[in-house]
Each structure stands twice: as C-alpha cells, then as structure tokens.
Amino acid sequence: MRILVLGGTWFLGKSIAEHALARGWNVTTFNRGRSSQDVAGVQPIHGDRTVQADLLELARRGPWDAVIDTSSSDLAPRDVLLATAALRDQVRRWVHISTVSVYEGWPNRPVTDDSPLLECPPDADETYGYTGEDGTPTKYGFQKAGGEHAVTEMFGDSAVFLRPGVILGPGEYVGRLPWWLERAKRGGRILAPAPASQRIQPVDVRDVAQFALGQAVSTTSGGYNVTHPDGASFGEFLSGCLAATDSAGIPVWVEPAVLKRHGVAQWTEIPLWRTHAGVWAVDSSRAVAAGLNCRPIIETVRDTWRWWAADGRPVDHPRWAEHGIAEEKEAQVLASL
C-alpha cells in the first residue's frame, strides 16, 4: 500500500504516518517542513500546498493508492480544490479529515452522518461564511464544508470524510487535556462544570489514525462521524485526570448558570464544557460498523499524562493560549459559592 499524507509531522498526521509504517506501508508525507521533524521511515517531500507549482511537483512523485489529508483545517475551500485538482490523476482514493462543525445543526441539535451540512461553494475563499451571535454556526464550519465539496467535486465516490468532534491523546497541540491534567496535578479545590454525570465523546488520536488507514483501503464513500460511541462522564474524566497525576484535588461541581453569571467561557476557559444540547450527541454508529474502535477515555487520559510529563508541548500553536481559566478567576468563582 502506497499512501500520501498531507501533513504528517504532528498529532493526527504523525500518528497516521507512524501507524501506516507499522503496517508495512510505503508512506510519503507532504508539508512545509516547519512545524516538526518528519517521522523516521517516511519519504518526506517539502512544499506549500497552497502553491500550485509545489503541488505539481508533488504530483510528479506519484502515484499513490490513497491520500489522507490532515492539513486542511486552516485552508479555504479553493485551496483544498487546488490540491485535489493537482493530485486527481495520481491518487485512487481521498480520505479527508473534516469536523462535526460542518453540520448545520451542530452543536445545538444531535446529529447523525445524514444530517444536513452547511452550504459553501467548493471554490470559496477564506472570507466565505460567518459566525452567529451565539457562536453557531461558525465560519470555520462553513469553510470546512466547502472543503468537503471541493474534494467531492474532484473525487466523487472515491472520497470519504471523517468528522471528529474533539481529538485528544499524546501529542495534542490544542491544550485541552494537558490543561486539565496540569490543573488536576495542582490540586486543591477544582472548579468543575455540573452535572458530573454529563457524558462527553472525545476520541483518541491513535484510534482516529487507525480508522483513517482502514478507510484508505476501503471502498466506501461519504461521511463518518468519528466520536467515542460510549464516551465517559465528566466526573469519570476528571477522576481519571486526578488518578493519572496522583493528585488529591477535590472537584467542586458548579451549575452552568453560576458559571455563566461569572462570565466563565464555555469550551475554552473550562475545556470540553459546553451546554448546547447536541455538542456531545453525535452518532458514530456508522463509523463503528465500518471499523472504528475506541479505547476507554481513561486510557487516553493516562497515556497523555505519560507523554506530557516526559516530552511536553510538541509545537507552538496559537490555540494553546485559549484554553484554561486563570487561577485568579477560578479562585474568585470558588470563593463566591
């Protein structure tokens, strides 16, 4: 099996490359060579996927059985279209890493793989779309939906779309789980979003990687929601963070109305907390039937702590600073209870 990974040096792209090599596959990666080192054993090609000359040079190095695109999250649809057009004759199958944000109803309503998507043309530039006053939908979601349309335009039924919600695990660059682990390690009274029974569906990066590789050799098409089918309660998740860091911290479960009154931002100041009805109601049964196998979330927590304690943050990323409530603000909320 000969595959091309667009990206391939950190988090999901790196995990895909490593797991593909472990299967004995021939792996080519394409990236700018700036974020991190290439995985040992791959055939690296450096270039900018928004530059047509670089893409044409990449295409000259083909063909491949499949491409797995992990690097389009910050790209406009027209840039995705540029890459698919350049590689169309050199790739049999396109596996595209998308997001649940492409759904018209997410996170306000539960979604399935058949839920309607946001509308965005395949050749849209970075200005297309908007973010609603309440934070939904998002311009990001419009852009990613347009990226899916761009892939479909060039690859049709030879394209498959993986739509994760939140991906956690060793190598995470956003900082959600590392922040919770560091907060657990610090101990004391820990501000936690009630109810503790609220179930969450983050998926392990290694499980997404394995599913993506499975789809590279499959003959199916269309979209798959890639979320944890069982999930864990927020209480179980935080208990796992405390256990992994050997902490005696004490969660203080605070009702959403109180957190909102104190101006605590959902999703960022308290990572993974969001009160929208559909945020953790994403049906992944189709992906499970197609081979998605998710390890327990507590295992992800434990392994991430081992990685974090040994290696730390893998790359500098602007989203890292968005996550986690300041100690002073947390203390003020707890003191007001």
Side-chain angles (χ1 to χ4, degrees):
M1 184 72 176
R2 179 173 162 83
I3 68 164
L4 169 65
V5 180
L6 299 183
T9 59
W10 46 299
F11 202 39
L12 179 56
K14 180 181 180 181
S15 186
I16 287 172
E18 291 174 339
H19 283 88
L21 290 170
R23 294 184 180 205
W25 293 6
N26 182 301
V27 182
T28 302
T29 57
F30 180 70
N31 54 70
R32 293 177 298 176
R34 298 177 185 175
S35 299
S36 188
Q37 293 183 343
D38 296 299
V39 173
V42 306
Q43 299 176 29
I45 301 174
H46 292 159
D48 189 330
R49 62 175 293 170
T50 65
V51 176
Q52 188 173 32
D54 290 358
L55 288 169
L56 293 176
E57 176 59 25
L58 171 64
R60 192 182 63 81
R61 307 284 287 272
W64 294 276
D65 297 302
V67 59
I68 303 178
D69 186 359
T70 71
S71 66
S72 66
S73 61
D74 297 323
L75 296 181
R78 67 178 180 183
D79 292 321
V80 178
L81 189 63
L82 187 69
T84 56
L87 296 170
R88 178 172 51 180
D89 295 332
Q90 297 296 324
V91 176
R92 178 184 60 82
R93 183 167 174 79
W94 192 287
V95 180
H96 195 74
I97 307 302
S98 187
T99 169
V100 293
S101 295
V102 299
Y103 288 113
E104 184 181 281
W106 189 87
N108 296 304
R109 301 188 297 274
V111 295
T112 70
D113 306 288
D114 298 320
S115 295
L117 306 184
L118 295 168
E119 290 296 330
C120 178
D123 58 351
D125 64 17
E126 64 279 359
T127 65
Y128 192 93
Y130 64 92
T131 296
E133 291 184 5
D134 66 346
T136 63
T138 62
K139 185 175 182 180
Y140 171 75
F142 281 103
Q143 292 277 308
K144 291 292 283 185
E148 288 196 16
H149 292 320
V151 175
T152 299
E153 183 163 300
M154 291 296 171
F155 280 86
D157 290 340
S158 295
V160 63
F161 305 98
L162 310 191
R163 298 170 183 149
V166 171
I167 304 176
L168 302 178
E172 183 196 334
Y173 63 88
V174 173
R176 295 183 178 101
L177 181 47
W179 183 85
W180 273 114
L181 289 164
E182 283 293 337
R183 180 61 193 91
K185 180 184 176 183
R186 196 165 78 240
R189 299 172 74 220
I190 301 172
L191 185 66
S197 60
Q198 171 64 56
R199 298 201 75 75
I200 58 177
Q201 295 178 286
V203 63
D204 192 289
V205 62
R206 296 162 292 184
D207 298 332
V208 180
Q210 293 283 32
F211 185 62
L213 294 174
Q215 287 306 303
V217 297
S218 178
T219 58
T220 59
S221 62
Y224 290 97
N225 294 332
V226 186
T227 56
H228 203 296
D230 302 317
S233 71
F234 218 115
E236 292 167 339
F237 168 78
L238 188 46
S239 293
C241 292
L242 293 167
T245 58
D246 195 25
S247 171
I250 302 172
V252 179
W253 297 97
V254 180
E255 292 299 323
V258 177
L259 295 174
K260 291 179 183 179
R261 189 162 64 243
H262 286 275
V264 178
Q266 299 184 44
W267 211 237
T268 52
E269 284 192 300
I270 298 187
L272 305 180
W273 169 58
R274 206 168 184 181
T275 58
H276 299 73
V279 65
W280 298 120
V282 180
D283 178 20
S284 60
S285 57
R286 181 171 185 246
V288 171
L292 175 64
N293 185 25
C294 292
R295 70 198 70 205
I297 292 174
I298 300 307
E299 184 177 329
T300 301
V301 170
R302 183 194 65 213
D303 291 349
T304 302
W305 175 247
R306 289 174 177 170
W307 158 76
W308 178 248
D311 300 322
R313 184 167 33 169
V315 295
D316 289 322
H317 194 279
R319 294 182 66 188
W320 192 273
E322 297 177 359
H323 293 94
I325 189 170
E327 290 185 41
E328 298 80 6
K329 185 172 182 178
E330 180 187 28
Q332 290 172 0
V333 176
L334 290 171
S336 72
L337 300 177

